[in-house]
Amino acid sequence: MRRFLRPGHDPVRERLKRDLFQFNKTVEHGFPHQPSALGYSPFLRLMAIGTRSGAIKLYGAPGVEFMGLHEENNTVMQIHFIPDQCQLVTLLDDNSLHLWSLKQHGGTSELREENRFTLKGPPGSPPSATQVTAVLPHSSREVLYLGTESGNIFVVELPSFRVLEDRTITPEAVLQRIPEDNCNRRSCELVEALREHPKNPDQILIGYSRGLIVLWDLQNNKATHHFLGSQQLENLYWQRDGSKFISCHYDGSYSQWPVSSDNRQAEPLENTVPYGPFPCKAISKIYWQTTKNGLPYIIFQGGMPRASYGDRHSISVIHGSQQTAFDFTSRVIDFFIIFSSDPAAEFDDPSALVVLAEEELVVIDLKSAGWPAVHPPYLASLHCSAITCSHHVSNIPLKLWERIISAGSKQNIHYSSMPWPIDGGTNIAPDPPQRDLLLTGHEDGTVRFWDASGVCLHLLYKLSTVRVFLTDADPNDNMNTLGEDEWPPLRKVGTFDPYSDDPRLGIQKIYLCKYSGYLAVAGTAGQVLVMELNDEDAEHVVDHAEADLLQDQEGYRWKGHEKLKTRDGPVRFEAGFQPFVLVQCQPPAVVTSLALHSEWRLVAFGTSHGFGLFDHQQKRLVFVKCTLHPSDQLALEGPLSRVKSLKKSLRQSFRRIRRSRVSSRKRRGGGGNASEVQEANAKFDQDVLQEMELAPVQRKIEARSAEDSFTGFVRTLYFADTFLRDSSRHCPSLWAGTNGGTVYAFCLRVPPAERRMDEPVRAEQAKEIQLMHRAPVVGILVLDGRSTPLPEPLEVAHDLSKSPDMQGSHQLLVVSEEQFKVFTLPKVSSKLKLKLTALEGCRVRKVTVANFGSCKTDDYSENDLAVLTNLGDIQIISLPFLKLQIRYPCIRKEDVSGIASCVFTKYGQGFYLISPSEFERFSLSTKWLVEPRCVVDMPEVTTNNHVHKPGTENAARKS
């Protein structure tokens, strides 16, 4: 009866769990997916980005970040900051307007939605009558001017969003002041731009799509000037002193118009087609920035010749004789210029160009010679080449950290030294308690090292493996080189480059030893590179070795891609991680698992055909083991040519059904052997159930067949110094787990240091464990005599961990997709198990050991398993008793790529991709929490062109 009784909760343990575990999604790292709008406040020095999914993100100084989400999940079309306020307005593609405020709460600022509004026309009017096309927040901070497709300009009160109908500017009112021979009713359709006069807030410039531009007097409600452009209008920009404005047009031209009191109708001073005379693309936005030396900066988007450069995404900067067209690899969403915001300043003196492209943010330093790019401290383009794998390393030693930064600084010499110009707000988060690295492998054969210690994910260093191989592209090619006479003067900027020269270069596995500085990376074509950190450039030969995982077995023929060709002779490498040996797996299949033991100088690697061990000190292969089953034909087809036939899938399905029926008949007619097994199980249950909470009725899980495809796929590799042959002597060992539920254990003989180069490392298979349910093995772990996971290589030598207990008996934990099972060592007898799939109906996708510290005291911490399932749930399971501690929903179960990309840290945090360009960071720990904590204070308004209502100003200061 005891197995049907659930023990009561231990209040002490429940209280401790609250001190240890807490789930939070803390910050999003990377570049927003599908950006659609950009805004900037010179007053707050904050930038806002809106996305197609309705998200809005604000950025200031590094660490100053805010995020909001519109309930409608519609595309954000426009973002406008209210002048001299901690407020902004967003326009969505459903024609709704939303007012957001930055307000302080609990010592930090928060972004909150204050109000929403949709402009409605009279009954029976078409949607175009109120479809907002242009938004102007007036400097009075009291109203918005909304231009529409119908040509009407509505005035909306803030913050109530009440329409002031008596102040609406209609096309009819505009046309009253314009000679009939110059325009007609259609001239005032679709308001393209609204701009407030920089010196007189009672005047606004109205630009209509067909080319008519009107200067409107708000006090007298009349047009004072009108300007007739001959081309379709795209945008307007006032010069600083208000004496002129610039219009840009659909035909790739821009015009400069004078505004004088004695001339109500003016002709343009000049009309320029920068890249004419051939037909050009539209100039969609333009800035005219004045400088002390008299030469203006003219900065505009588009305008390229249609025939030859119509597919380019460019922004041109012209300053005197200097002219550059910055060429982006993705579509330009919007841009702005950072210039002097002091109203008393005589000149603009622009300092930086900030460009939001579809796949990255690029900032150009306009003060330095050559206009170099500025290295961004956040909004990194993680997906500049598609991310293929991730690896997190916690608590990096200071010496290694400094060496990596030094190597990265040598790569960044072409970047500007300008301080980050978007520096609003104050970061009040505490300094990170340790230095953490997130390594991302990419499709183009690069590995990027990111500072993941705090809120800002910052690129420290980029490693490329391409130089080792012969590819179509020459790594010495400089994409930015321009001929002296090249026209247009294009210059490629940004890091986003989605094209890979060869998909075989893709990085699949990464392993970094933070104590020795050794790095192992493995790729799509079976290449395994071992590297060491060098502070100087070097030229040397990379040693090669081949590992034949099929071991000349007959009847197998690889149908996939060929291996990468390697360079002969010495290869020159930049300072940083430099490869010194290449192990090439044969067949050249994707490397599916990788382990590095820097103390023993060994690297283990596995593919869908088997696994091998390589001694990177002596540079010799120790052994290979083929795990291929005779039915594993798919493993020989390779990832780039794999097509699973429908016939084979149906045949396997029918076999499973047949086996299911046969096994059920056998169970119904069970004999004496079955009863003995039942008695043994009952005795085991009585011993263990006292330690485990009883679960609900378990589901029946069908055992998998050895004939299922990819059973030889090596999922995990693990080094351990443990008791493998007998309980009196421990020895180095290598463990491997496969897709077919098999665990292999090899005893290793590693010579002592003084004879390390003279004697070979020897290996001998000691164990082979076959899990009865044949589920894929996703994790292997050895616990010492204190039931503590064995320390990392060299961790004890650096006094960062206690020596493992070699007196008590060790235990082996094998984690499959369906269950957790503890075995005693060296006998490998089953001791304890937790059937996750039978209980929960889910499968393990990722598992790691995490250390959880108490938020109440520094004296207590414990090691637990952090487990991610195929349902997107994260479960924390205790060691060594395998009790479920807590469960959190984290990732949507439909988000297969997000689940596959998840990586846990050593201290209870994690990252997963929520889009190709963004990592979501989460924490399972109460103690280790990295999240934005920042304040945006209301700066003082230095000068005003008009009187503000005291009530409005006081309300703003409270925000």
Side-chain angles (χ1 to χ4, degrees), residues 705-755:
S705 166
E707 296 178 9
D708 287 351
S709 294
F710 285 111
T711 54
F713 185 117
V714 180
R715 293 285 290 267
T716 184
L717 291 163
Y718 178 69
F719 285 107
D721 187 356
T722 187
F723 301 92
L724 197 53
R725 293 196 177 279
D726 56 59
S727 55
S728 59
R729 287 178 301 169
H730 57 89
C731 66
S733 63
L734 172 66
W735 301 75
T738 72
N739 221 40
T742 306
V743 177
Y744 299 95
F746 280 75
C747 276
L748 307 177
R749 185 189 171 279
V750 181
E754 61 271 14
R755 299 196 304 274

Side-chain angles (χ1 to χ4, degrees), residues 823-835:
F823 299 89
T824 59
L825 287 176
K827 289 186 177 181
V828 194
S829 56
S830 178
K831 181 179 180 182
L832 187 66
K833 65 182 173 184
L834 171 62
K835 295 182 179 180

Side-chain angles (χ1 to χ4, degrees), residues 146-217:
L146 306 178
T148 62
E149 279 188 10
S150 63
N152 287 299
I153 299 168
F154 296 91
V155 186
V156 176
E157 192 176 50
L158 288 176
S160 65
F161 278 137
R162 183 171 64 92
V163 179
L164 304 177
E165 296 181 2
D166 57 326
R167 294 173 63 177
T168 300
I169 305 171
T170 65
E172 291 75 20
V174 171
L175 290 171
Q176 285 178 3
R177 293 282 178 164
I178 299 173
E180 291 183 7
D181 56 341
N182 287 344
C183 55
N184 53 39
R185 174 65 180 83
R186 297 194 66 185
S187 300
C188 293
E189 289 180 354
L190 204 155
V191 178
E192 198 70 60
L194 293 170
R195 297 286 180 263
E196 183 179 338
H197 194 291
K199 298 297 183 182
N200 184 357
D202 291 329
Q203 291 183 334
I204 62 171
L205 200 61
I206 306 170
Y208 296 95
S209 177
R210 287 181 172 267
L212 174 64
I213 305 167
V214 173
L215 185 62
W216 188 261
D217 185 340

